[in-house]
Amino acid sequence: MALSFATDIRPLFRAGDVACMKHAGIALDEAAWMCVPANAALVYGAVSTGKMPPDAPWAAAKVAIFKQWMDAGCPA
């Protein structure tokens, strides 16, 4: 199954996550920003260690989908 930012990754982020991180210059809702491998790796580091989102860590399945998308080259 081919993953894409629009259908598989963007929906993982809640409106509050997007708004909070936008203040830090991290555009969770923008494919142009998120599909840059270095940016995706930055976000992956935070979600895979439970640092983001701050209220509760992502389930392992969500982290795995993000990793699979990154391994596929961060397709839009």
Side-chain angles (χ1 to χ4, degrees):
M1 168 176 100
L3 296 175
S4 75
F5 175 77
T7 59
D8 302 291
I9 303 307
R10 173 59 187 95
L12 297 176
F13 299 104
R14 302 167 298 185
D17 301 333
V18 172
C20 180
M21 296 310 293
K22 189 122 4 217
H23 294 295
I26 298 172
L28 298 175
D29 61 338
E30 296 177 19
W33 193 89
M34 284 291 293
C35 293
V36 173
N39 295 343
L42 177 74
V43 174
Y44 177 75
V47 298
S48 67
T49 60
K51 291 180 183 174
M52 190 178 96
D55 58 343
W58 275 9
K62 286 175 82 170
V63 174
I65 288 170
F66 196 97
K67 178 76 165 95
Q68 183 182 356
W69 171 74
M70 284 182 34
D71 290 347
C74 306

